[in-house]
Amino acid sequence: MATGREILEARGGLGADVIAVRVGADVVDLMTSLPEGTSPSDVVPIRASDPDGLAVIRHSTAHVMADAVQRLFPGTQVTIGPAIDNGFYYDFARPSGQFTDEDLEKIEAAMRDIIGGNHDFRREVVSRPEAESLFSKLGETYKLEILAGVSEPITLYRHGGWVDLCAGPHVPNTRFLRAVKLTHVAGAYWRGDERNPMLQRIYGTAFATDAELAAHLAHIEEAKKRDHRKLGKELGLLGFHPWAPASPFFLPRGAALYSLLVDYVRALYREHGYSEVVTPQVYDIELMKRSGHYDNYREGMFFAVTADGGELSEPEKEGDAPRFTGDVRWGVKPMNCPGHCLLYAMDKRSYRDLPMRIADFGRLHRYERSGVTQGLTRVRTFAQDDAHVFCTFDQVADETRDFLGMLDRVYRDFAFEDVRIALATRPERSLGTAEQWTLAEETLAHAVRSAGREFVVNPGEGAFYGPKLEFQLKDALGRPWQLGTIQVDFNMPERFGLEYTGADNVAHQPVMLHRAILGSIERFLGVLIEHVGGHFPAWLAPEQVCVVTVSEKFNDYAREAIGSLRAAGLRVASDLGGDKLGAKIRNARAFRYPYLAVVGGREAEQRGLAVRQGDADLGFLTLDAFAARVRAESVAPSLRLSSPI
RNA sequence: GCCAUCUUAGCUCAGGGGUAGAGCAACGGUUUCGUAAACCGUAGGUCCGGGGUUCAAAUCCCCGAGAUGGCUCCA
């Protein structure tokens, strides 16, 4: 049978930028014979700039990088080197020494050398023994391990003198690899398992053209400027201290933002029939044993001890931690649900009480391993817009739909697009029966479908007590974050023996839904800061306007104006210092206030403000007109119609 | 947790065995100014912590802490 190249050439359609072909769902390189019976009309050319083409280029670049690494660092073994979303990587087992940033430059230079050699990529089908003998001769033990798990046909790809066990596809020739950049080195476990040896991974990226590569690198630089850790510091929102690792301090401006966000959720709760509760932070471990957290979530928890009934001794060596001998009786809550079960059971419940929607902004603590924490997005202490809905099984679908509606509203208020839904199913460690899980999974899937939404399945990613829907957004760096979630739980009500009296005057067991829209408030703020680049809308901004004076001569009027705006309910910052106006404006802009109001002689005389909104000059506004304008924007869009101004 | 890198003034960063540096911020003074940085001066340090090597360590080595990038998108 003919190759893709032959078929395209026969059609006269082999353009200079065609690097592979698509046949049905498969991407095949140009030099591979297509299966018998392939109709030429099914062969679609893939160009360098197509998404599939980009993956081919990147994977081929990974080969060239591995070639370069083995030239420069003899004895280094290759393992795997796939194309990934924004580039590629290759994992190496290097007998001694580590790759440094200088090495990356050398490797890149060697790659340019190889690419300049205009080597053809050649595909070769070999027998298993042939492959085994080749890679054992080369001393590639990882490749032998991979080979053992690979099914026929076994293919090799060569360019120049370099060979790799590889399924392909690849570009026809190294000259198609033009715009290449190695980005960073990282450790990575063999097959991602921390019991395996640590390999050294080199990340890089490649594009069809230099311009696209430059644009991608510029995009990364841009994203770094929006990094919430950087902005959090610059805008005076956040602080951290080594004595509270992975635990943010919200400074006054950050705390203002935090409260406004929580107040926003409270307003939604009022419309959607939730009641807020406040519950304990530290519980007897009996609670965690009852809920299953002690058995299933212990390594994610903090435990607390008291001097009562135990002995706290100073360490022998300086720098060591004090030792405690005694009973560990207390656990710091990692989730609100067990406490809410206790709360539910504090009264006798009727079917008339259901659904019972209990919201809790309680602080949670989870022990995240030291290497995985980052900024606000992965922390050890946080609060969620957490609520539990106790309901009958028949109410689950309606509650899920109401939740989806609420969620849509929230993500629209924050102008988040590209929200992806995933159904996370039963994990290895889980409570309850297979029947319960299946039923719960199907109920969630049905609710999403009936709301006209699509979802993907994440097998084994569910919570230990039930399946969940996860709602994912991407941050400025393109990293996906799970924010909202809704989880069906039959197990917790059973463990706590929860009941309600039905219309039939018989005790029934309620179903419990765990749900959050923002998820962790901390994480949401991190993502939001990056999403808006620090430019918060007027309804969320810590201060909605900054009043600055042209000179200190006008401070008296400025104070009067500030007082009047505050009396009208505005959040107002000011700069009444001795700087020149230009400097004040520069400083105020760095803080990204939604509005900037300049006050000088004219404004004092006419009892108003010279207002700008971002870059837009709004000119003169009276105090009343400006206050009315800002107050109209002081409520989230989805709440504006329903709340009187 | 593991691998790599980093940690110097409030912030951003330079320096790299021989007396600790800059810009911005702070503080004091002068200027009272109309839309992205006025001028002069003053003060500010456990160079992340501990140990070692050395005549001498912020600098080299070891241990620890924290932060940052990663730790299957599978040949």
Side-chain angles (χ1 to χ4, degrees):
Chain A
M1 187 61 200
T3 64
R5 181 195 302 276
E6 287 159 357
I7 288 174
L8 291 182
E9 273 170 353
R11 265 200 251 156
L14 184 65
D17 60 340
V18 173
I19 56 171
V21 291
R22 188 182 298 107
V23 181
D26 298 328
V27 178
V28 183
D29 42 33
L30 292 175
M31 51 283 195
T32 302
S33 295
L34 300 175
E36 288 299 330
T38 304
S39 154
S41 61
D42 290 342
V43 177
V44 182
I46 294 178
R47 290 165 208 290
S49 49
D50 294 343
D52 287 337
L54 218 42
V56 173
I57 284 177
R58 287 168 178 172
H59 184 46
S60 298
T61 308
H63 274 223
V64 170
M65 178 173 80
D67 181 3
V69 166
Q70 291 195 314
R71 286 183 192 202
L72 292 170
F73 305 94
T76 300
Q77 287 194 58
V78 293
T79 65
I80 62 166
I84 55 175
D85 266 358
N86 288 312
F88 63 88
Y89 66 78
Y90 213 116
D91 285 348
F92 300 98
R94 189 173 159 187
S96 62
Q98 283 81 32
F99 296 117
T100 63
D101 289 344
E102 293 85 79
D103 290 338
L104 290 193
E105 285 169 32
K106 281 187 227 152
I107 294 165
E108 228 179 89
M111 288 171 69
R112 278 193 289 274
D113 220 46
I114 294 165
I115 290 167
N118 292 336
H119 303 292
D120 283 337
F121 274 86
R122 298 186 309 281
R123 180 176 184 271
E124 202 179 311
V125 180
V126 295
S127 70
R128 191 171 294 275
E130 282 173 318
E132 281 167 359
S133 109
L134 173 67
F135 288 106
S136 59
K137 208 165 70 197
L138 292 171
E140 296 283 3
T141 56
Y142 288 92
K143 285 293 175 191
L144 287 170
E145 195 177 326
I146 293 164
L147 188 59
V150 164
S151 55
E152 318 278 345
I154 292 164
T155 53
L156 305 179
Y157 273 84
R158 295 178 192 271
H159 69 265
W162 196 78
V163 61
D164 198 2
L165 175 70
C166 180
H170 282 284
V171 296
N173 187 286
T174 55
R175 72 168 175 276
F176 287 87
L177 311 175
R178 264 194 296 265
V180 171
K181 169 90 183 152
L182 301 187
T183 52
H184 55 287
V185 196
Y189 296 102
W190 168 234
R191 295 194 189 275
D193 189 329
E194 63 190 47
R195 289 164 300 195
N196 287 339
M198 174 72 66
L199 306 173
Q200 288 188 61
R201 172 171 301 180
I202 300 178
Y203 281 93
T205 192
F207 284 86
T209 64
D210 288 326
E212 284 167 298
L213 174 61
H216 177 251
L217 296 176
H219 172 74
I220 289 175
E221 283 309 306
E222 203 48 47
K224 277 186 188 161
K225 287 184 195 159
R226 290 173 161 242
D227 189 310
H228 72 272
R229 291 164 299 200
K230 182 173 151 69
L231 284 177
K233 191 179 262 188
E234 283 174 13
L235 301 179
L237 305 174
L238 296 174
F240 286 89
H241 194 279
W243 286 354
S247 306
F249 288 68
F250 283 88
L251 309 179
R253 300 189 85 230
L257 191 55
Y258 198 105
S259 304
L260 286 160
L261 193 56
V262 170
D263 287 345
Y264 162 71
V265 176
R266 287 192 170 115
L268 288 176
Y269 282 167
R270 280 192 288 277
E271 293 189 15
H272 286 257
Y274 287 70
S275 319
E276 187 176 340
V277 298
V278 177
T279 57
Q281 193 73 54
V282 175
Y283 289 90
D284 195 304
I285 283 175
E286 287 307 314
L287 176 77
M288 285 82 177
K289 286 186 175 163
R290 176 67 67 88
S291 68
H293 284 84
Y294 188 80
D295 285 335
N296 292 284
Y297 202 75
R298 209 180 340 185
E299 59 283 2
M301 280 181 62
F302 284 96
F303 292 92
V305 297
T306 64
D308 191 14
E311 201 64 41
L312 199 58
S313 62
E314 286 309 307
E316 290 164 21
K317 216 165 78 228
E318 199 182 336
D320 283 357
R323 301 189 69 82
F324 177 80
T325 51
D327 303 332
V328 178
R329 186 175 162 194
W330 308 103
V332 183
K333 69 174 170 188
M335 300 179 195
N336 288 311
C337 34
H340 287 187
C341 288
L342 299 183
L343 185 147
Y344 178 92
M346 283 176 185
D347 204 348
K348 188 133 175 94
R349 307 294 174 183
S350 147
Y351 73 99
R352 296 175 198 273
D353 299 329
L354 305 185
M356 181 172 155
R357 308 185 188 94
I358 299 298
D360 196 332
F361 294 100
R363 183 134 298 271
L364 307 177
H365 290 80
R366 297 184 186 173
Y367 181 72
E368 299 281 359
R369 296 204 294 176
S370 60
V372 305
T373 61
Q374 51 161 254
L376 283 181
T377 41
R378 196 85 182 264
V379 292
R380 288 183 177 153
T381 174
F382 59 99
Q384 295 176 307
D385 60 327
D386 192 17
H388 294 98
V389 180
F390 297 92
C391 61
T392 70
F393 181 75
D394 291 343
Q395 291 169 333
V396 169
D398 274 349
E399 287 300 310
T400 304
R401 270 191 294 275
D402 178 68
F403 173 75
L404 289 172
M406 200 169 163
L407 192 107
D408 267 346
R409 207 171 149 178
V410 171
Y411 291 162
R412 262 206 304 279
D413 278 338
F414 292 103
F416 279 121
E417 287 143 27
D418 192 25
V419 179
R420 292 173 43 181
I421 307 179
L423 173 63
T425 58
R426 187 177 193 183
E428 270 181 44
R429 278 169 84 175
S430 61
L431 304 174
T433 65
E435 293 74 41
Q436 285 176 326
W437 275 85
T438 308
L439 188 57
E441 286 167 11
E442 279 171 4
T443 305
L444 285 179
H446 176 72
V448 178
R449 283 194 209 100
S450 72
R453 306 291 291 273
E454 291 182 1
F455 64 93
V456 297
V457 176
N458 284 344
E461 295 286 313
F464 66 84
Y465 47 74
K468 56 185 178 182
L469 292 176
E470 296 175 340
F471 302 85
Q472 280 191 352
L473 295 179
K474 281 189 178 175
D475 69 11
L477 295 161
R479 292 179 292 212
W481 291 106
Q482 188 214 305
L483 299 173
T485 179
I486 182 165
Q487 313 176 359
V488 182
D489 183 358
F490 298 112
N491 295 297
M492 212 70 80
E494 186 168 335
R495 293 187 152 241
F496 283 88
L498 303 185
E499 291 179 349
Y500 66 90
T501 307
D504 53 4
N505 198 29
V506 171
H508 299 272
Q509 194 176 89
V511 178
M512 188 176 181
L513 302 178
H514 309 243
R515 39 70 58 218
I517 294 174
L518 310 180
S520 147
I521 310 285
E522 279 73 3
R523 174 178 294 174
F524 185 83
L525 275 175
V527 175
L528 180 67
I529 289 168
E530 300 187 358
H531 182 64
V532 301
H535 293 97
F536 301 105
W539 60 276
L540 267 181
E543 298 96 358
Q544 297 163 312
V545 55
C546 182
V547 175
V548 306
T549 44
V550 171
S551 86
E552 288 170 305
K553 276 199 303 204
F554 309 107
N555 282 3
D556 283 344
Y557 169 68
R559 289 195 189 93
E560 218 179 291
I562 290 165
S564 133
L565 295 177
R566 287 197 175 133
L570 269 56
R571 301 186 292 276
V572 187
S574 63
D575 184 349
L576 308 185
D579 281 344
K580 293 180 75 166
L581 181 59
K584 290 184 182 181
I585 285 174
R586 187 188 151 88
N587 292 335
R589 290 191 55 121
F591 267 73
R592 295 164 166 80
Y593 302 102
Y595 290 97
L596 187 53
V598 175
V599 164
R602 295 199 289 275
E603 290 73 28
E605 202 162 304
Q606 298 172 67
R607 316 296 294 168
L609 307 160
V611 180
R612 61 149 91 181
Q613 180 177 26
D615 287 323
D617 189 355
L618 303 185
F620 179 86
L621 291 176
T622 64
L623 293 176
D624 287 347
F626 178 68
R629 178 187 177 116
V630 177
R631 283 178 58 191
E633 294 172 4
S634 292
V635 177
S638 80
L639 292 167
R640 278 177 201 169
L641 292 175
S642 50
S643 52
I645 292 168

